[in-house]
């Protein structure tokens, strides 16, 4: 109203889109009891606005990070337990497949069981990839050439006969540091998601590769990009003209098994998020319902040291022994019994311990006759890395094969500076178990 006090915020754009925020405060002026206009003041609040925006962005990043960390811990724990359950299933089915008469109905059933267990193992690996810890080695990659090399795979995924457009915004090499297989999986997962969002006709997917200078405001709202800093950054951008994503759903697209189209479709974008975190990059999602979606995978500046494969210590040959005795320390009875059964059938003598304390005592009493130890890393009461230290105190030359349902990189990082002779990822087949057993008992 004309005679009321008022407060109004104005935003002005200056040279090079420089923002200026101004607050206008005014109150009515009375002269001899009559309204004579307003008296006011203008105050520059640009710095306060920027501080508020930065604080809001930091709060949002912290909220997202906490949420993704919680989901990551959940996924990692489920994958670990899932892998333990798969050990006797995959290993036993593999044994049956080879023992049953070739071509018979039972062997066919065992083969199908083995394939199903292998697919379940792949699903577990994807859940670990979501946590961002599935690291092997990183290489310097020319991303433009890389996308061209996987073009056939991208076109094979085009089940809706959409128009595919490839664009490269630079004639120079666009180098990023990443694991090639993980990078391929990330790009393919985004592309498949784009194809699924298209309608039956007039669908279009545009894949754009480039490198440009990113300003601080360009990185606002980016997912998992805490390590990205303004400056030259490379990217792969995948744009579709499909159905689009609602604002609420954008916050959930990286959750495991979330889909706006149907329930529990899979881990496509969840895996992409883990790979992005793995390389220190981020993902920017922009979408408008009915117009399409653009997902941009942003890479940190190239030149960071590539991660070399983590080496496992070589084991010196041990003297021949008439009987090869192995101590199995694992808290999962199904895993423990399966390993003992398979090793017994192959001529090994096995001792079993259901936890770390029992394993240490068995080893203390029998270490002279034990040729090697198969040790689970994650157990109640006492974890495998602590058990390993006790075993080395008893016999510094003992050969130990570590098993775990967690990612290899995480396991070996936990065991840094400790001598182990190998790592056996759960679930495993009988042949992989026997190879590991022979390695720790080699003579």
């Amino acid at each position: 109203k004309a005679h009321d006090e008022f407060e109004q915020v104005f935003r002005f754009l200056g040279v090079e889109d420089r923002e200026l925020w101004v607050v206008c405060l005014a109150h009515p002026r009375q002269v001899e009891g009559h309204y004579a206009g307003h008296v006011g003041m203008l105050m520059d609040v640009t710095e306060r606005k920027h501080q508020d925006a930065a604080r809001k962005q930091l709060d949002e990043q912290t909220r997202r990070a906490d949420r993704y960390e919680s989901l990551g811990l959940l996924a990692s724990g489920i994958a670990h337990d899932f892998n333990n359950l798969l050990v006797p299933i995959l290993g036993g089915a593999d044994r049956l497949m080879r023992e049953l008469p070739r071509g018979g109905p039972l062997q066919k059933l065992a083969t199908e069981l083995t394939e199903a267990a292998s697919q379940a193992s792949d699903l577990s690996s994807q859940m670990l990839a979501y946590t961002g810890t599935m690291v092997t080695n990183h290489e310097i990659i020319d991303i433009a050439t890389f996308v061209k090399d996987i073009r056939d795979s991208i076109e094979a995924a085009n089940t809706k006969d959409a128009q595919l457009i490839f664009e490269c915004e630079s004639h120079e090499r666009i180098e990023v540091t990443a694991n090639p297989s993980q990078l391929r999986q990330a790009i393919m997962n985004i592309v498949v998601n784009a194809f699924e969002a298209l309608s039956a006709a007039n669908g279009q997917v545009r894949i754009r590769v480039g490198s440009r200078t990113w300003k601080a405001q360009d990185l606002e709202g980016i997912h998992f990009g805490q390590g990205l800093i303004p400056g030259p950054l490379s990217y792969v951008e995948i744009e579709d003209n499909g159905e689009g994503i609602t604002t609420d759903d954008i916050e959930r697209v990286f959750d495991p098994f979330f889909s706006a189209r149907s329930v529990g479709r899979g881990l496509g974008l969840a895996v992409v998020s883990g790979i992005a975190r793995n390389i220190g990059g981020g993902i920017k999602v922009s979408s408008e319902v009915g117009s399409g979606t653009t997902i941009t995978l942003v890479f940190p500046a190239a030149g960071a040291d590539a991660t070399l494969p983590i080496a496992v210590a070589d084991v010196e040959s041990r003297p021949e022994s008439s009987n090869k005795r192995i101590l199995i320390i694992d808290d999962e009875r199904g895993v423990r019994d399966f390993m003992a059964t398979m090793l017994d059938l192959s001529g090994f003598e096995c001792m079993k311990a259901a936890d770390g304390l029992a394993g240490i005592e068995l080893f203390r009493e029998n270490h002279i006759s034990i040729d090697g130890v198969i040790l689970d890393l994650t157990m109640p009461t006492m974890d495998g890395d602590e058990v390993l230290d006790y075993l080395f105190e008893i016999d510094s030359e003992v050969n130990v094969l570590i098993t775990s349902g967690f990612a290899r990189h995480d396991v070996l990082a936990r065991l840094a500076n400790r001598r182990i002779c190998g790592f056996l990822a759960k679930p495993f087949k009988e042949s992989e178990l026997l190879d590991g057993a022979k390695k720790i008992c080699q003579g």
Side-chain angles (χ1 to χ4, degrees):
K1 296 179 180 180
H3 296 185
D4 290 345
E5 294 184 356
F6 74 85
E7 175 180 336
Q8 186 68 47
V9 180
F10 298 94
R11 174 177 176 264
F12 301 95
L13 280 179
V15 180
E16 296 182 351
D17 292 336
R18 181 178 177 272
E19 284 185 330
L20 177 66
W21 290 88
V22 175
V23 171
C24 177
L25 301 173
H27 61 85
R29 179 171 177 261
Q30 300 286 333
V31 176
E32 296 181 355
H34 299 285
Y35 171 70
H38 274 67
V39 176
M41 62 178 291
L42 298 175
M43 182 167 54
D44 183 355
V45 292
T46 305
E47 186 62 28
R48 186 200 306 171
K49 273 285 187 180
H50 288 169
Q51 290 175 353
D52 289 345
R55 183 165 52 251
K56 183 178 180 181
Q57 182 179 357
L58 181 60
D59 290 344
E60 179 64 17
Q61 288 179 343
T62 301
R63 184 189 67 80
R64 283 180 178 169
D66 290 344
R67 182 164 171 269
Y68 288 128
E69 182 182 9
S70 298
L71 287 171
L73 289 172
L74 175 63
S76 181
I78 292 174
H80 171 264
D81 292 344
F82 199 44
N83 283 334
N84 272 326
L85 294 172
L86 283 173
V87 169
I89 298 173
L90 179 60
D94 180 57
R95 175 76 182 203
L96 289 173
M97 184 178 66
R98 291 182 289 106
E99 291 289 335
L100 291 168
R102 184 177 297 275
L106 290 180
Q107 197 213 36
K108 182 181 179 181
L109 185 62
T111 302
E112 292 174 352
L113 180 58
T114 301
E115 291 173 353
S118 296
Q119 291 174 7
S121 177
D122 290 341
L123 177 60
S124 182
S125 295
Q126 290 184 54
M127 293 178 71
L128 287 175
Y130 169 73
T131 69
T133 60
M134 293 290 287
V135 177
T136 50
N137 57 350
H138 287 175
E139 303 173 8
I140 301 296
I141 298 171
D142 178 3
I143 187 63
T145 301
F146 186 86
V147 171
K148 290 178 183 176
D149 289 342
I150 65 171
R151 180 166 182 160
D152 288 346
S153 297
I154 292 173
E155 291 177 343
N158 185 8
T159 58
K160 295 189 177 180
D161 197 27
Q163 181 185 10
L164 264 174
I165 302 172
F166 292 84
E167 296 179 358
C168 181
E169 299 186 346
S170 173
H171 297 293
E172 305 293 330
R173 283 176 58 88
I174 305 174
E175 294 186 339
V176 301
T177 303
N179 176 271
S181 63
Q182 289 187 351
L183 179 58
R184 182 184 186 279
Q185 184 179 16
I187 294 173
M188 288 302 301
N189 284 8
I190 299 174
V191 168
V192 168
N193 199 70
F195 285 140
E196 290 183 347
L198 299 177
S199 60
N202 302 319
Q204 183 184 94
V205 172
R206 187 184 303 270
I207 301 174
R208 186 179 295 111
V209 178
S211 180
R212 65 178 177 86
T213 299
W214 291 64
K215 299 178 182 178
Q217 56 263 39
D218 296 329
L219 297 176
E220 291 179 2
I222 201 166
H223 297 255
F224 321 107
Q226 289 84 349
L228 297 174
I229 58 176
L233 298 173
S234 302
Y235 63 90
V236 175
E237 187 173 88
I238 298 164
E239 177 185 355
D240 67 67
N241 64 345
E243 58 196 35
I245 309 171
T246 66
T247 302
D248 290 340
D249 284 347
I250 285 178
E251 288 298 307
R252 302 178 58 199
V253 293
F254 300 108
D255 291 359
F257 301 106
F258 173 78
S259 174
R261 289 181 291 278
S262 61
V263 178
R265 290 178 62 87
L267 289 160
L269 291 182
V271 169
V272 176
S273 73
I275 293 171
R277 282 175 284 175
N278 187 285
I279 63 176
I283 309 173
K284 190 159 189 174
V285 182
S286 58
S287 186
E288 184 177 343
V289 175
S291 297
T293 301
T294 300
I295 296 181
T296 308
L297 183 58
V298 186
F299 301 87
D305 293 336
T307 305
L308 298 176
I310 302 175
V312 178
D314 290 332
V315 181
E316 297 180 358
S317 295
R318 302 194 66 162
E320 282 285 357
S321 144
S322 57
N323 293 310
K324 302 298 183 183
R325 176 179 284 187
I326 293 178
L327 172 60
I328 300 169
I329 307 176
D330 197 301
D331 63 302
E332 291 289 338
R333 183 180 61 82
V335 175
R336 196 168 61 243
D337 290 347
F338 165 75
M339 287 195 288
T341 299
M342 294 299 103
L343 292 173
D344 285 341
L345 290 172
S346 298
F348 293 90
E349 181 182 345
C350 295
M351 304 176 69
K352 297 183 292 184
D355 57 55
L357 291 174
I360 291 170
E361 287 306 309
L362 272 176
F363 187 72
R364 191 189 310 277
E365 296 169 1
N366 302 277
H367 68 93
I368 295 176
S369 63
I370 291 175
D371 296 282
V373 177
I374 299 177
L375 174 63
D376 183 33
L377 185 64
T378 306
M379 296 182 291
T381 308
M382 183 182 290
D383 270 344
D385 45 0
E386 189 177 355
V387 174
L388 187 63
D389 292 337
Y390 279 103
L391 298 181
F392 284 143
E393 284 183 10
I394 299 169
D395 181 356
S396 61
E397 300 300 318
V398 62
N399 289 332
V400 180
L401 177 69
I402 296 293
T403 68
S404 178
F406 288 118
R408 180 179 190 271
H409 178 266
D410 277 354
V411 171
L412 296 182
R414 278 181 61 177
L415 299 176
N417 303 319
R418 292 180 174 91
R419 184 185 65 84
I420 61 172
C421 76
F423 171 68
L424 188 60
K426 297 178 179 177
F428 45 79
K429 295 182 179 180
E430 180 188 5
S431 58
E432 295 169 328
L433 172 63
L434 295 180
D435 286 344
K438 289 173 183 176
K439 186 173 183 180
I440 60 176
C441 293
Q442 62 184 339

